[in-house]
Structure formats: structure tokens, C-alpha cells
Amino acid sequence: MIPQAAKIGDAKLLVDGKSYDLPLLEGTEKERAIDISRLRDQSGLITLDYGFKNTGSCQSAITFLDGEQGILRYRGYPVEELAEKSRFVEVAYLLVHGKLPNVRENDRFSQLLTQHSMLHEDMAQFFKNYPENAHPMAILSAMVVSLSAFYPELSQDQQNPDEDIDITTTRLLSKLRTIAAFSYKKSAGEPFVYPRHDLKYCANFLNMMFSSPVSPYEPHPVLVKALNVLLILHADHEQNCSTSAVRLVGSAKVNLYAAVAAGICALWGPLHGGANQEVMEMLQSIHDHGGDVEKVIAQAKDKNSGFRLMGFGHRVYKTYDPRAKIAKQLCDAVLNKLGINDPLLDIAKKLEEHALKDDYFISRKLYPNVDFYTGLTYRAMGVPTNMFTVLFAIGRLPGWIAQWYELHNDPAQKIGRPRQIYTGVNQQKFVPMAERA
Ligand code: CMC
């Protein structure tokens, strides 16, 4: 059972001279909402809210986000502190279980991750039939839904629900990492590298990505730490587009794999997780065309251009995205430590500087979001651009799983089924084909 918001009074809605009382709710961070769930029964009215800008779809105890103040907390812990002091796997446990693991719980979780890291060999065959240039997100989503055929869901163990959750979570976390690395190897035309039992989550991923039978690879500790941080930054973000997709699809009671596959597809979009690939392509293109930042800013402001400054703006953040702040510092630190001088970082900083001084961006409160600086660190790791969103998906997975569990443990949840305002033609008479004009 998730904690429920307190009812602190009623809001009044006046329509056609008639007044309706609607419950006024308040969450633990004093966020207030009008509960309209009975509005249609009471009045015949529905609400209209394109893009769900003002619509809460659930009550949730997982992530708190204050877009005005730039606050992001997972289960009450500031993302800054988690990024600095913990590892991705620990954060995954936190999101799913609601508490940080102790040593014994962490050991058990890590052991399960190791145990579940392999893919069924029949599944490994699937990769062979994708075209060389297949986007890894297409492969990832298809492979994740295929997992349901190979690893059916556990029936809920009433005796030991935590063990059940751990097995389900680690199986998906571990296998997604293997699938991601295999999809890269497939696109590179190289043989798969299997997971190693002696490596931790992030080092294991880097090893599967970059080692090969002819060139052994030692994951650099700076990159291992950086990957941990980046995955933590993406681990959850309350009711964003992909998480809402997971919840909406999950509300029909499909299995977890199918719901997560839906989340992966939503994440792929350039307005969402796909923006990190777009940012890198944009920076590269600015570089290749002489580095004219002003021209790009002007283009982003021109509504007729169809172009947006990728990695800028956010539905919820109306100040600097706290994840972008960490990602920017991380990028600087990683490039410094590795002695890399990336001209695209200079272009990114120049773009930010110009945008943040420009009235268009100031008045609309458009700041760099998480996708603006993360790609430059992935690039320093050697990750190709089309794998960036895959890394976002690996990072977001614990959030999707936690939200899926929360959905299924919330007795108030119903199948997701919005309404609409019909604006089509009224009833008309059917005319047989021969008589039609
Ligand atoms: N470049 C230029 N103008 C922008 C941008 C941008 N990146 N983002 C928003 N605007 C303008 C937009 O044209 C609109 O102007 P006006 O009020 O004159 O019509 C105003 O700002 C509000 O934009 P919106 O599209 O109504 O805002 P939204 O909340 O629906 O969209 C967004 C949020 C993230 C989709 C949008 O800011 C965007 O397209 N950004 C670029 C893509 C991007 O970086 N996405 C990653 C988001 S963070 C990772 C994640 O969690 O998904």
C-alpha cells in the first residue's frame, strides 16, 4: 500500500450556476491537487489537458521533483548525494524497495545480478538477423518483450515477496545490460562478449562493450564511476513520458517485460530520451559547419525553422535541471582526468552561455536538461552516438520497475483510459457505394 495524500478540504467548481465540491488533496511536500475523479459522475463534465500538463495520474512515494527549485530526490535522498556517494545498483535497490540496502541485502542483490546476467542462447541468435544498421533501441525494445517468452514472470510468492521482487528486478536489470552490449556488438559487426562474474554492474557493461578476443579491455575506474553517476541521474523521474507509458500499458495488466518495452519505445523519441543522441548530432553538425553558435540559436528561436535547441527545455524544470548540473561537472572532470580535449564540449558551453543570455530562452525558462552534457561523457567512454539512448534506458529501468510495482500495489489504480472531446461529424446516413459522388 502506498501512502495516500491527505484531504485538506474541498475546491468548488461552478458550472451553469451549479456548484460542485471536489476534494482538495495535499502530498507530503505540500503539493496540492484537486481530485476530479468523480467529476463526470457528478456533473457530466470531463477535463481537457493536452500533454497532461496539469494532470496527476497517480499518487507515488518514489520520486519527488520540484521543477521551480530544481530539486530531485529518490525516496527522499537528494540525487546529488546519491550520485556522489552511492552506486547505481544501490540506487536501483532503493527505488524498488524504498530503502537503501544493508550489506547483506546488497550482497544478495549483487549475487542475483551476476546469476541472471546471461541471455538464453536462442535469444542471442535473434541478434544475427537484424540488419547491420538497425538502431539499437529497436533491438532493445524487441528483445525486452521477447524476454517474456523465455523468462515467464514469477507467480507472486506470498511467503517471500522481497525475494520475488529481487529476482524479477535483477533479472531484468542484468539482462538489459547484456542485450544493450550485444546490440552494440551486432552493429559493430564484432563477436559478443559475455558478462563476467568478477566484474560489478558498470565495469561489466563497459567490458562487454569494449573488449574483444583480439584486444583485452580494462575498464578505467574514472569511466566506471562516471557511468555509475550517469545511470543514477537517469534512474527515475516520476511521471515522465516513458514512465507514464509503462504505467499505462501496465495498467492493462500486461507482464512487466511488455510494459518496460513500451517504456523503451517512448524513451526513444527525440523529445524524450532520444534527445541525447540529437544533442550530439547537433553539436557535431555545428562543429562541422564552422562552429557558428549564434546562427543555431537564431534558428532555434525561429518557429518556422522546425528546429529546437536539443537538450534544452523541460516540461517540469523551470530552472537549471539538477541532473544537468551534475552531468556538466562530471563531463568536465572526466575529460580532464583522461586528458581529452573535446571541441564539442566548447561548443556546448558556448551554446549554453548564449542561450542563457537570450530573452527567448530566459522568458520561457529554458535551461539545459539532462541530455545536454551526458553525451559528451559517453563519447569520452567510446560509446557511439546511437547507443546514448540505450544507456538512458538502462539507467531508467529501476524507475520503471519501481513504478510498475507501485502501480500494482495501489488499490486505487484503474486501467488507464482517458476520455476525449469528440469534434468529428454528427451522425450521418450511410450511402451505398454506387450512389456516392
Ligand atoms: N528550443 C527552442 N524553443 C523551445 C525549446 C527548445 N529546446 N523547448 C521549448 N521551446 C519553446 C517552445 O517553442 C514554446 O514556445 P512558445 O511558448 O513561444 O510556443 C515554449 O518554449 C514551451 O515549449 P513547449 O513545447 O510547450 O514545452 P513542453 O513542456 O511541451 O516541452 C520539451 C518540453 C522538453 C519537449 C521541449 O522543451 C523540447 O522539445 N526540448 C528539446 C528536446 C529535449 O531536449 N528533450 C529532452 C527532455 S529532458 C530528458 C527527458 O527526461 O526526457
Side-chain angles (χ1 to χ4, degrees), residues 61 116 119 244 262 291 371 374 408:
H116 293 301
L119 271 191
S244 297
D371 291 321
T374 48
H408 288 296

Side-chain angles (χ1 to χ4, degrees), residues 53 237 240 267 270-273 275 279 300-301 303 307-316 318 321 323 360-361 364 366 369-371 392 396:
K53 281 192 161 194
H237 215 231
N240 57 85
L267 187 75
L271 295 188
H272 190 11
V279 169
K301 288 159 53 176
K303 290 276 157 51
F307 172 78
R308 284 190 164 195
L309 195 56
M310 299 313 285
F312 256 74
H314 198 274
R315 168 61 60 77
V316 184
K318 299 303 163 203
D321 180 337
R323 304 167 302 170
Y360 175 95
F361 291 87
R364 289 170 179 77
L366 302 172
N369 59 49
V370 70
D371 291 321
F392 195 150
R396 183 55 51 88

Side-chain angles (χ1 to χ4, degrees), residues 27 43 64 83 100 134 206 210 289 336 350 392 415 425:
S43 64
F64 173 66
L100 285 165
L206 291 173
F210 300 119
H289 291 88
N336 246 326
K350 245 196 245 169
F392 195 150
I415 186 166
V425 291

Side-chain angles (χ1 to χ4, degrees), residues 93 97 105 112 157 159-168:
Y93 188 99
H97 284 287
E105 289 159 342
L112 286 170
D157 179 354
Q159 296 303 315
N160 199 350
D162 279 356
E163 178 73 0
D164 185 12
I165 291 173
D166 276 351
I167 293 172
T168 304

Side-chain angles (χ1 to χ4, degrees), residues 125-418:
Q125 298 303 315
F126 293 169
F127 289 89
K128 300 211 163 87
N129 296 318
Y130 281 97
E132 285 298 305
N133 58 357
H135 197 287
M137 285 296 278
I139 302 180
L140 196 74
S141 54
M143 286 291 171
V144 167
V145 82
S146 303
L147 285 172
S148 59
F150 288 84
Y151 306 95
E153 275 185 307
L154 300 176
S155 55
Q156 293 281 319
D157 179 354
Q158 300 307 328
Q159 296 303 315
N160 199 350
D162 279 356
E163 178 73 0
D164 185 12
I165 291 173
D166 276 351
I167 293 172
T168 304
T169 303
T170 52
R171 192 150 69 182
L172 199 40
L173 270 177
S174 206
K175 291 193 193 309
L176 191 79
R177 175 187 57 177
T178 307
I179 292 170
F182 279 17
S183 62
Y184 165 65
K185 286 296 195 192
K186 161 74 195 175
S187 66
E190 291 178 15
F192 298 147
V193 174
Y194 284 83
R196 268 173 44 185
H197 283 186
D198 60 319
L199 291 177
K200 299 266 187 218
Y201 193 87
C202 289
N204 218 337
F205 176 70
L206 291 173
N207 186 65
M208 281 193 272
M209 287 279 293
F210 300 119
S211 74
S212 81
V214 289
S215 59
Y217 170 85
E218 197 51 51
H220 196 298
V222 169
L223 296 183
V224 173
K225 171 66 188 162
L227 185 55
N228 266 290
V229 172
L230 291 174
L231 296 184
I232 289 171
L233 294 187
H234 290 97
D236 194 47
H237 215 231
E238 51 119 295
Q239 306 314 314
N240 57 85
C241 177
S242 57
T243 303
S244 297
V246 168
R247 276 190 178 256
L248 187 69
V249 172
S251 76
K253 301 232 184 285
V254 298
N255 63 66
L256 173 64
Y257 304 109
V260 167
I264 292 172
C265 291
L267 187 75
W268 192 1
L271 295 188
H272 190 11
N276 57 12
Q277 171 171 348
E278 302 269 331
V279 169
M280 190 52 58
E281 286 165 2
M282 174 183 80
L283 295 175
Q284 189 66 58
S285 157
I286 297 171
H287 177 261
D288 296 348
H289 291 88
D292 190 346
V293 162
E294 301 269 6
K295 191 171 144 199
V296 176
I297 298 275
Q299 201 187 350
K301 288 159 53 176
D302 175 5
K303 290 276 157 51
N304 297 321
S305 72
F307 172 78
R308 284 190 164 195
L309 195 56
M310 299 313 285
F312 256 74
H314 198 274
R315 168 61 60 77
V316 184
Y317 292 119
K318 299 303 163 203
T319 183
Y320 213 102
D321 180 337
R323 304 167 302 170
K325 216 177 271 174
I326 302 171
K328 185 180 179 184
Q329 287 162 358
L330 179 76
C331 180
D332 268 333
V334 168
L335 267 57
N336 246 326
K337 280 187 193 153
L338 300 182
I340 298 173
N341 184 8
D342 189 337
L344 298 194
L345 177 60
D346 299 332
I347 291 177
K349 284 185 176 170
K350 245 196 245 169
L351 262 182
E352 177 187 339
E353 199 186 310
H354 279 70
L356 297 188
K357 276 196 265 175
D358 192 296
D359 235 23
Y360 175 95
F361 291 87
I362 295 170
S363 61
R364 289 170 179 77
K365 300 188 174 150
L366 302 172
Y367 294 85
N369 59 49
V370 70
D371 291 321
F372 197 64
Y373 283 105
T374 48
L376 290 157
T377 307
Y378 293 142
R379 188 167 134 105
M381 284 176 193
V383 177
T385 311
N386 68 355
M387 281 292 288
F388 289 2
T389 314
V390 171
L391 281 160
F392 195 150
I394 296 176
R396 183 55 51 88
L397 182 61
W400 290 332
I401 297 173
Q403 301 268 355
W404 186 85
Y405 272 115
E406 190 174 73
L407 168 89
H408 288 296
N409 289 323
D410 184 352
Q413 271 302 332
K414 306 245 173 249
I415 186 166
R417 205 297 186 190

